[in-house]
Amino acid sequence: MAELRQIEGPDRGRVFPIDADCVVLGRHPHCNIVLDIGAVSRQHAQIVRTPNGYFVEDLNSRNGTFLNEQRLHGRRPLRHGDRIRICDLVFVFHDAPSSTGEGGQSTLTEAAWVEDEERFRTGSTIMSRLDATSPTNRLQVNPEAKLRALMEISQNLGKAIGLEQVLDKVLQSLLNVFTQADRGFVILRDQSTGKLIPRAVRSRRPEDQENLRISKTIVNAVVQSKQAVLSADVATDSRFDLSQSIADFPIHSVMCVPLIGSDGTVLGVIQMDTRQRRARFTQEDLEVLVSVASLVAVVVENAILHEVSVREELLRRELALAHQVQQGFLPSSPPKIDNYEFFDHYDPAHEIGGDYFDYVSLPAKRLAIVLADVSGKGIAAALLMAKLSAEMRYCLVSEGSPQAALKRLNNIFCSERWEDRFITMILAILDPITHRFWLVNAGHYPAILRRADGRIEILGETNAGLPIGDPKNGEYVAETGVFEPGDVLVLYTDGMLDALNEFGESFGQDRLLEVIRQTSGPVTEIGNALVDAVHRFVGLRAQTDDICLVILGRSANQGSADQFSEEDHQGPSAKLSD
């Protein structure tokens, strides 16, 4: 149902329903809307409802009827938000809700910030300021006005979830509460950049949405002081350059109120303004808007938290999927080779990690065991690890030695697109027929070889090359050896050594060697003993780095390995692609 809302006069705030085909306004008691003012004619004007909409018509009154400050001559159509002035009484026409909803047109256009700081210092028509953080100010409001505002805000926000919907509902309610307002907008602080950005705008007239101009000085002053501001007449306010800021939208009165979050931070501002000289905002209006802003701030904060929650849930699902994809790059189970046992353990610090290991089958029944640590963590490291997985296999089957394979891999990762990224890696080639192995280290922690009699040998430390991705890399050097029955080779990433306990102490290599030295039995027992030792050492402290562990060992109670030549020791003749 259409209605008139009085915004100026003795009955300011009263609502008159247009519930008949012809509603007469005048001083006579038989009029549908009685205006008991001496200057009003007995039958002053009428509003007519037709199939084509509503129309307003002056009934030859003595002082005339004005539609949007233009004197009526004949019948004129009414639009939602139009103002009707009869003498000193001003009404706003509200049509039935349309596709744009009650409370004006909704839009969000590009806003122009007006730089008016210098002029702001020289003069101002600010009537009042209120501390928006003070609960006392929220209690000094006309109870009827406050109740109407809060009820309308609460009803309209009851079903709103998304932030844009919340803001639009807020402005719709505020335009209904402050019937003299021509437009309202909400500016929020961007959570990532900290910049103030207009997020929602509502105005009663579509033409008022064309050029949204906002005083940067007023908004910044409100944000910094956390005080609500009421300006009596912006049109005469020396802060504004009319030719630049409000020439296209002659604003006269403004209220700007901060939105204060639960932690005291400013989430943004709400501003309401009007172009009517006779429809200025009052101190009571400012108090009502401050009260409403306290509720709106909670809703906005909840909406922001909801959006953050949705984004986090989406990210969680994407990371879970990425975790599954990454697991697909890793071996699903250890290889099965006669007389050899394998153990592997991979524990990323987050959903996805940058550590990597693989078993690559080579010609002549040989096996490559790769363990690597990509620089960085998270998604970037995981993407680099995926690239490494594909390129490592290609280089192993394309080159004739482990040294050549790593050199080719290094050339690939020295390209510009992988700048500032590097990979530490240790590569072992096992020949299970002769029980020989070759070991090449590219800037990684050395391997640990525990002999059957308990002796510990550190391999790959003296001849370690630079990490993969370093353009200064020269030739890689292979160390070679032989697996005797009961020998065990341990490969690991820095996540094990750097694991911290509650006192900030790292697990370190000494503890690693002690566990390896004291644990006998198959490689699974050694592997589980190492993992358990790290977990006990760390305790309840959160894991900060990826942990990767690969162990291979030759079964005990077998004959010794065949003797091999000095050329075999050197490694380069160990062709990988025979």
Side-chain angles (χ1 to χ4, degrees):
M1 178 187 299
E3 59 188 26
L4 288 180
R5 294 193 178 192
Q6 187 170 342
I7 62 172
E8 286 191 37
D11 293 327
R12 180 178 179 270
R14 186 176 177 183
V15 178
F16 302 92
I18 309 301
D19 53 2
D21 290 336
C22 182
V23 174
V24 178
L25 298 83
R27 187 164 44 87
H28 195 278
H30 291 165
C31 290
N32 302 89
I33 299 177
V34 178
L35 307 176
D36 193 12
I37 300 294
V40 176
S41 299
R42 293 171 59 85
Q43 292 184 330
H44 198 105
Q46 66 179 5
I47 296 177
V48 180
R49 182 173 60 191
T50 74
N52 296 322
Y54 291 87
F55 294 80
V56 62
E57 182 179 11
D58 182 75
L59 298 177
N60 297 317
S61 64
R62 181 175 67 254
N63 293 316
T65 302
F66 295 80
L67 177 64
N68 298 325
E69 297 304 312
Q70 293 185 357
R71 185 158 187 164
L72 284 175
H73 299 282
R75 182 176 292 187
R76 296 281 300 278
L78 279 174
R79 296 180 301 175
H80 182 81
D82 280 346
R83 279 172 164 72
I84 300 172
R85 181 167 66 83
I86 297 176
C87 299
D88 292 327
L89 307 178
V90 180
F91 304 86
V92 176
F93 176 74
H94 287 265
D95 199 353
S98 62
S99 59
T100 59
E102 190 176 4
Q105 302 284 333
S106 176
T107 186
L108 183 56
T109 59
E110 187 70 22
W113 288 100
V114 179
E115 299 284 355
D116 52 3
E117 182 176 359
E118 186 63 32
R119 303 182 68 86
F120 179 74
R121 295 193 187 102
T122 61
S124 172
T125 56
I126 288 183
M127 292 175 54
S128 178
R129 295 180 185 268
L130 282 179
D131 184 357
T133 63
S134 172
T136 305
N137 289 328
R138 300 174 191 175
L139 299 176
Q140 297 175 345
V141 183
N142 179 286
E144 181 181 352
K146 179 178 179 180
L147 180 62
R148 183 175 71 249
L150 296 181
M151 286 184 63
E152 188 156 5
I153 291 285
S154 299
Q155 291 172 357
N156 281 335
L157 296 181
K159 297 181 180 180
I161 298 179
L163 183 56
E164 301 303 330
Q165 184 183 5
V166 168
L167 300 181
D168 187 61
K169 289 290 186 181
V170 166
L171 294 179
Q172 176 181 324
S173 299
L174 291 177
L175 283 176
N176 291 335
V177 170
F178 301 112
T179 53
Q180 73 270 48
D182 281 293
R183 69 169 187 170
F185 55 82
V186 179
I187 299 174
L188 295 183
R189 189 186 298 279
D190 185 87
Q191 299 298 303
S192 57
T193 65
K195 294 182 179 180
L196 294 169
I197 300 175
R199 294 292 298 270
V201 179
R202 262 190 180 262
S203 58
R204 300 195 188 278
R205 298 175 176 82
E207 59 268 23
D208 294 341
Q209 302 166 185
E210 298 282 330
N211 298 302
L212 175 60
R213 297 185 179 275
I214 302 172
S215 168
K216 193 172 185 178
T217 302
I218 290 180
V219 171
N220 284 340
V222 169
V223 170
Q224 293 171 9
S225 67
K226 298 184 181 180
Q227 290 184 330
V229 171
L230 168 63
S231 179
D233 192 347
V234 182
T236 61
D237 197 323
S238 62
R239 293 171 300 165
F240 295 93
D241 184 347
L242 294 181
S243 64
Q244 297 294 325
S245 61
I246 56 173
D248 296 328
F249 190 84
I251 301 171
H252 288 286
S253 186
V254 171
M255 293 187 297
C256 191
V257 177
L259 299 174
I260 309 295
S262 58
D263 59 353
T265 59
V266 178
L267 303 175
V269 300
I270 298 179
Q271 179 167 314
M272 308 296 296
D273 49 48
T274 178
R275 61 192 300 174
Q276 303 299 317
R277 289 183 182 275
R278 297 173 177 267
R280 296 178 179 179
F281 297 111
T282 66
Q283 178 70 19
E284 181 183 281
D285 292 331
L286 185 64
E287 292 172 353
V288 170
L289 188 57
V290 169
S291 296
V292 171
S294 64
L295 174 60
V296 172
V298 174
V299 176
V300 169
E301 193 169 40
N302 288 340
I304 292 174
L305 292 176
H306 174 75
E307 286 191 342
V308 171
S309 176
V310 169
R311 288 197 299 267
E312 288 179 347
E313 175 62 19
L314 179 60
L315 178 59
R316 188 192 66 80
R317 293 181 181 179
E318 291 178 346
L319 289 176
L321 178 60
H323 175 77
Q324 294 178 1
V325 172
Q326 187 180 49
Q327 292 301 306
F329 290 107
L330 303 177
S332 59
S333 61
K336 296 182 184 294
I337 298 178
D338 291 341
N339 302 318
Y340 281 88
E341 297 175 305
F342 295 84
F343 172 90
D344 54 60
H345 174 80
Y346 181 71
D347 185 14
H350 306 289
E351 287 84 352
I352 52 179
D355 284 3
Y356 164 74
F357 76 98
D358 201 0
Y359 307 108
V360 182
S361 296
L362 300 173
K365 297 185 179 180
R366 285 172 291 186
L367 179 72
I369 302 97
V370 185
L371 185 136
D373 186 357
V374 175
S375 64
K377 297 179 180 64
I379 295 176
L383 291 173
L384 196 58
M385 187 271 270
K387 170 74 171 175
L388 172 64
S389 175
E391 298 292 355
M392 185 74 249
R393 287 177 170 268
Y394 171 74
C395 292
L396 283 171
V397 299
S398 300
E399 296 297 332
S401 69
Q403 308 95 299
L406 287 193
K407 183 175 182 179
R408 182 165 189 166
L409 184 69
N410 181 68
N411 292 335
I412 293 173
F413 281 91
C414 280
S415 61
E416 292 184 359
R417 53 185 174 172
W418 301 109
E419 188 176 359
D420 297 329
R421 291 286 180 175
F422 63 89
I423 303 165
T424 66
M425 175 185 294
I426 193 161
L427 169 64
I429 306 295
L430 171 66
D431 186 339
I433 298 177
T434 63
H435 305 295
R436 300 164 187 167
F437 67 86
W438 293 263
L439 191 75
V440 183
N441 189 347
H444 199 79
Y445 281 96
I448 299 172
L449 178 63
R450 193 199 71 178
R451 295 297 184 178
D453 59 6
R455 289 180 295 113
I456 297 293
E457 298 179 18
I458 306 298
L459 304 180
E461 185 174 35
T462 303
N463 296 318
L466 295 176
I468 301 297
D470 192 327
K472 296 179 292 184
N473 251 333
E475 298 293 330
Y476 290 100
V477 178
E479 294 185 25
T480 190
V482 62
F483 276 114
E484 298 291 349
D487 287 352
V488 172
L489 184 67
V490 180
L491 311 178
Y492 53 93
T493 59
D494 60 354
M496 295 198 70
L497 302 186
D498 296 340
L500 299 177
N501 63 11
E502 58 181 330
F503 304 107
E505 301 170 335
S506 60
F507 187 75
Q509 191 177 51
D510 290 342
R511 290 185 177 88
L512 184 74
L513 293 173
E514 187 64 22
V515 174
I516 295 173
R517 186 179 291 110
Q518 293 183 355
T519 306
S520 59
V523 297
T524 53
E525 291 187 13
I526 300 174
N528 290 327
L530 284 170
V531 173
D532 292 343
V534 172
H535 287 167
R536 287 195 305 270
F537 178 81
V538 170
L540 298 178
R541 181 157 182 163
Q543 182 179 338
T544 58
D545 199 1
D546 306 328
I547 294 176
C548 188
L549 175 66
V550 175
I551 305 176
L552 64 150
R554 184 179 175 186
S555 301
N557 303 321
Q558 298 180 36
S560 298
D562 298 334
Q563 295 296 318
F564 52 94
S565 66
E566 180 65 22
E567 183 180 1
D568 291 327
H569 276 284
Q570 297 304 317
S573 62
K575 302 297 183 182
L576 301 180
S577 56
D578 291 346

